[in-house]
Each structure stands twice: as structure tokens, then as C-alpha cells.
Amino acid sequence: MSAASDAAAAGRPLGEFEVIARYFTRPARSAGLGVGDDCALIAAPPGLTLAITTDMLLEGRHFPAGTDPHKLGHKALAVNLSDLAAMGADPRWFTLAIALPEVDPAWLDGFSRGLFALADAHRIELIGGDTTRGPLTLSITAIGTLPPGYALRRDGAAVGDDVWLSGATGEAALALAQLRGAVELDAAHAAACRARLESPAPRVALGRKLRGLASAAIDVSDGLAADLGHVLERSGVGAEVALEAVPVAPALATCHDTALARACLLAGGDDYELVFTAPPERRDDVLRAAEAAGIAASRIGRIVAGEGLTIRDAAGNAVPLAARGFDHFAS
Ligand SMILES: [Mg+2]
């Protein structure tokens, strides 16, 4: 009988090693890899570049207390996969550091199942980590691979490039607004928005297909305007975005508070879409790549000389954006 089942049978709380053994240990896919040594070992694929990213989620800051653990397991990995997608990397391995206020078997079971369901869908393998007692905190480091020179970076946008957006932004932020009582949504739209907030789908397939095609890319975690702004800053260019070209999800289109809906669209976070640039002669290739990846891509603007982002409405007037992002979401 394992230590974990000993503890469970005895009705005492699981210790750190028992938690790892019971919830986070799976057969290694490749010899020499897996959980349980002092370090994780990676057989780095010859000739490939490693892309490494870390994201941390804190209860009360990045997700509310009482969040469904299955969805939290999904999201903790999804935000890291989104960063790999933004670089065009193939997901390979990840580590998990987790602080738990208490050892709750039902919570750990839900969390680990949500985590591994997404991991399996993207063929990414847990190779190590740490657990400790403390305020609920989840930190994942994800490692991907890609051919040298093919990473999608933030500094490659060139004057004349198109600006593209995968999917649609704003629903996750609208879900947060609803949770905070700032807006009422009908049941179907509320469910759609909650799904976007709690179970984001990282655009890994699209990122992979944009290798050698996009000139720059970033994932939308802090809001479309803010994240596109990072690309512009790093590339030393500006952009003009046409508001009517930015796709509007049904829940936003029917939201009575149009100012809130617009703020969610342009400045809401947690979307995990990709915003990227590509030369205009590659438009058909971009559309084919998106179709093959199973996600819509919308051409929302173009890169211009200068600096900063200008968003124009149909009449050509600049749409004002709050200086510090969107105050509804300031914590
Ligand atoms: Mg990112």
C-alpha cells in the first residue's frame, strides 16, 4: 500500500510527498524523465531552441476564492501554454510549484484532473515541482521547443504590416464585471463569458502555424490595447486599429452598457488570444493558417511609422482609452 493510501485510510492529512505521489506523479513518457529526482532532466532535442515561461496565479488576485479546482488546474497551465503559443513554440515539459492552505483531497483531485486533461491535450509533460503550505498559489514553468530563428517575438513588427487578432476579446473581462455586479447578462451569454474566463483555450496550434509567417506576436493577457502596445514599443512602431474591424463576441454585442462592453473589448484581460503582425502579401497565408488551427483571424489594423496605438471609430475619430488600462479591473 502506498504512503498516500496509508494516510487516506488512516484519515490523517497527506504530507508533501504523499500529495506529490498521489496527485502529481504519472509514468514518465521518456526514459530518464519524470517526477521524483532532485532535478528534472530534459533530453534537449538536438538543433531546437528551448522557449521557457513562468506564470504565477494567486488566489484573490488572479482568481476568486472558491474557484472550481478543475477549472483552476486547466487555467494555471493554459496561461503558460498561451505564452508558448505567443512564441510559436511546441509545448514539451512543465514544472508546478503549488502552495496550499490545507491538504484537501477533493480539491487536489479536481485540480490535478483539470491540469492533466489540458496537459494531455497539448502533449506537455509534468517533470517536477514543489509543494508547500501557504496561501493558495500556483506557479507553472512551461518549456517548449522551436526551430532556431523561428520564435515569434515582440520586436519584429514593420511599417506596413497588417495587425491581426485571433478569436475575439472581451468576454473574460465581461464575466469579471458580471461577477462583481457591474453588469447583468442573460444566462447563455453569462455562461459563455464564464467559460472564457475560467477555461481559456490557448492558441497553441495557431502559434505553431504562424512560425515563419508572423513578424511579431504576443498573447492577450492584459488587454488588446495594452498587449499590442508592448509589440509596438518593442518594435519601435505605431499602429492604427479600426474599431469596426475588431470582432465583437455576442455577449459583448448585446451588453446594454456599451461603454463597459467597449472597455472589455479593448482593455479587458485574460483573453489568451494572439495579436500578431504579418506583411500584407501574406494575408492568404494567415487566413489559411488560422483555418487550419481552427480559429478565426481578423485583420484589425496596420503598423505605421511613429509610436503608440490609435484606435479609430467608423467616422475616423480616435477612440479614447483610459491612461492606465481599465479602471473597472484595477484591484
Ligand atoms: Mg504573454
Side-chain angles (χ1 to χ4, degrees), residues 72-96:
L72 204 51
H74 173 103
K75 185 161 180 175
L77 182 58
V79 299
N80 284 277
L81 288 172
S82 181
D83 279 328
L84 292 182
M87 298 294 292
D90 294 309
R92 301 294 288 256
W93 309 282
F94 70 104
T95 64
L96 167 70

Side-chain angles (χ1 to χ4, degrees), residues 106-274:
W107 191 95
L108 280 161
D109 183 59
F111 177 83
S112 59
R113 283 191 294 110
L115 180 83
F116 286 125
L118 187 67
D120 291 345
H122 289 280
R123 303 172 57 79
I124 186 169
E125 185 176 9
L126 179 66
I127 55 168
D130 194 20
T131 64
T132 188
R133 192 170 290 260
L136 184 55
T137 306
L138 312 161
S139 180
I140 285 179
T141 295
I143 303 166
T145 55
L146 73 175
Y150 277 82
L152 308 177
R153 305 181 49 150
R154 297 180 181 183
D155 61 2
V159 173
D161 282 355
D162 294 321
V163 179
W164 295 84
L165 175 69
S166 71
T169 55
E171 287 175 300
L174 195 58
L176 272 184
Q178 193 220 11
L179 287 173
R180 291 173 188 183
V183 66
E184 282 187 18
L185 301 173
D186 69 48
H189 289 143
C193 290
R194 283 290 287 274
R196 285 299 303 263
L197 176 67
E198 295 176 339
S199 307
R203 306 305 185 196
V204 173
L206 178 61
R208 186 184 289 126
K209 293 198 175 297
L210 291 177
R211 293 202 296 238
L213 177 53
S215 49
I218 190 170
D219 68 322
V220 182
S221 54
D222 297 331
L224 175 58
D227 288 313
L228 177 54
H230 294 316
V231 169
L232 303 180
E233 207 175 299
R234 289 288 301 278
S235 297
V237 294
E240 295 258 353
V241 162
L243 183 61
E244 74 271 17
V246 180
V248 179
L252 267 73
T254 56
C255 178
H256 295 305
D257 186 340
T258 52
L260 175 70
R262 182 175 288 185
C264 289
L265 182 74
L266 301 175
D270 262 354
D271 298 298
Y272 304 104
E273 296 294 352
L274 298 182

